[in-house]
Amino acid sequence: MVLQHSDTLPATDRIDRYPTRLDAPSDHIERSHPTVWGKVENPALANFDADGFASVDELLTADEVADFSAEIGRLAGDPALRDDDRVIVEKASNQVRSVFEVHRLSAAIAELARESRVAGMARQLLGSDVYLHQSRVNYMPGFRGSGFYWHSDFETWHAEDGMPTPRAVSLSIALTDNYPINGSLMVMPGSHRTFVPCLGSTPAEHYRESLQEQEIGVPTEADITSLANRYGISQFTGRAGSALLFDSNLMHGSSSNITPFPRSNIFLVFNSVENTLVEPFAAPEPRPGYIGSRDFTPLSS
């Protein structure tokens, strides 16, 4: 059975169109909300509606890649940030895995997020002005870099942040070359049209564990098998400076990196100002603002 949900009510109501964190398995929900809410003018985004993602070659120049690589190296090595909650370290290696709210820690990244070549793509797809729901830098060191299990970001943002609808997009900007062998992102083209309810209840402060290794809010192996058979799997590879823009409900993940070639990226999440957060749909309280921002100031302001 396929469930359908009406989108005639305003985004800020408390009707839960995407129930998740359930006690028992439930059918997948076919998305009724649009993928593209505005008018696409960038040719690179032509297939976004069908695929749920778009690759952008050479978003950054070689000089910009060098500058931003130095900037994220500075953040990872800053001893003043080592005990900051915004810095997430690998369980096994104790190396920095992610730094959150980087647009508040780096003026250069904040400026990049506002640029028309970046935020402008999000505005085209979402059909409104946008704000940063989340920003972070991801580091996947060589030899011991841990992957990210299959998941939909929207499932977490809906359950734990209170994002009403999947009217958000993520931009992953590569600062290192992405090879098929060093843990580059895998996606299921078209899977953004299917919402997968997950099992389990959300413990208090679940984010502290999930940012290192997510165990709640992930699909079952049967779910992943079903989606993979239906949609297939593609992999994002490309030179440093390229980028992947993808829908918030796209199923994606990455394997661990046991090669000598590290992988790092700037990760920016743009949410529509017409899709602002309410109370979480499946968590006792919202996650901290550095993970799910409740500052809805438009980037064009």
Side-chain angles (χ1 to χ4, degrees):
M1 179 179 66
V2 172
L3 306 182
Q4 297 289 345
H5 290 262
S6 170
D7 59 353
T8 59
L9 296 175
T12 53
D13 67 59
R14 286 299 306 170
I15 293 178
D16 186 356
R17 299 177 181 84
Y18 299 96
T20 188
R21 311 289 169 97
L22 307 177
D23 295 331
S26 177
D27 295 311
H28 295 175
I29 299 171
E30 292 304 308
R31 172 181 181 157
S32 59
H33 290 99
T35 302
V36 176
W37 298 69
K39 181 180 179 181
V40 171
E41 299 173 352
N42 188 332
L45 306 180
N47 294 326
F48 193 92
D49 185 57
D51 294 337
F53 68 91
S55 298
V56 183
D57 293 330
E58 298 180 348
L59 182 67
L60 301 184
T61 67
D63 287 343
E64 288 174 321
V65 168
D67 290 343
F68 282 111
S69 296
E71 180 73 345
I72 71 165
R74 177 188 68 82
L75 293 172
D78 188 346
L81 290 175
R82 191 64 182 187
D83 295 325
D84 194 301
D85 284 344
R86 292 173 290 187
V87 177
I88 312 300
V89 298
E90 294 270 10
K91 279 185 175 181
S93 66
N94 204 37
Q95 291 183 291
V96 174
R97 177 181 177 92
S98 301
V99 178
F100 281 80
E101 209 173 43
V102 288
H103 68 290
R104 302 211 183 275
L105 297 172
S106 166
I109 293 177
E111 182 178 350
L112 175 67
R114 290 179 177 275
E115 289 189 22
S116 60
R117 60 174 164 163
V118 176
M121 290 192 294
R123 282 192 284 265
Q124 285 183 42
L125 293 171
L126 302 181
S128 69
D129 212 335
V130 297
Y131 70 93
L132 276 175
H133 172 71
Q134 186 185 102
S135 71
R136 67 179 188 263
V137 174
N138 292 324
Y139 307 83
M140 184 178 279
F143 298 110
R144 298 183 181 276
S146 299
F148 294 86
Y149 190 71
W150 290 106
H151 65 285
S152 152
D153 289 328
F154 174 67
E155 191 281 338
T156 295
W157 300 340
H158 182 69
E160 300 188 36
D161 297 336
M163 183 178 288
T165 67
R167 194 176 177 181
V169 293
S170 299
L171 181 67
S172 176
I173 306 173
L175 297 181
T176 51
D177 292 343
N178 282 262
Y179 305 111
I181 57 174
N182 69 337
S184 59
L185 201 66
M186 296 180 289
V187 300
M188 295 187 185
S191 62
H192 63 297
R193 298 185 180 278
T194 301
F195 179 80
V196 179
C198 295
L199 299 175
S201 60
T202 311
E205 298 190 340
H206 173 243
Y207 65 92
R208 295 189 183 278
E209 293 294 326
S210 67
L211 295 179
Q212 290 183 314
E213 183 178 3
Q214 188 169 358
E215 296 181 350
I216 297 173
V218 296
T220 65
E221 291 183 0
D223 288 326
I224 294 301
T225 301
S226 173
L227 263 63
N229 286 332
R230 179 178 179 184
Y231 295 114
I233 297 175
S234 297
Q235 191 169 31
F236 170 58
T237 58
R239 300 296 302 272
S242 60
L244 182 72
L245 184 67
F246 60 98
D247 182 85
S248 58
N249 191 49
L250 187 73
M251 194 63 66
H252 62 285
S254 63
S255 57
S256 297
N257 182 15
I258 60 172
T259 76
F261 310 116
R263 189 170 70 82
S264 60
N265 65 290
I266 297 172
F267 195 89
L268 304 171
V269 178
F270 300 96
N271 189 27
S272 168
V273 296
E274 298 173 6
N275 190 41
T276 53
L277 309 185
V278 294
E279 288 302 303
F281 288 91
E285 60 186 7
R287 297 189 299 175
Y290 65 85
I291 302 173
S293 176
R294 288 180 132 73
D295 178 359
F296 308 133
T297 305
L299 286 178
S300 61
S301 299

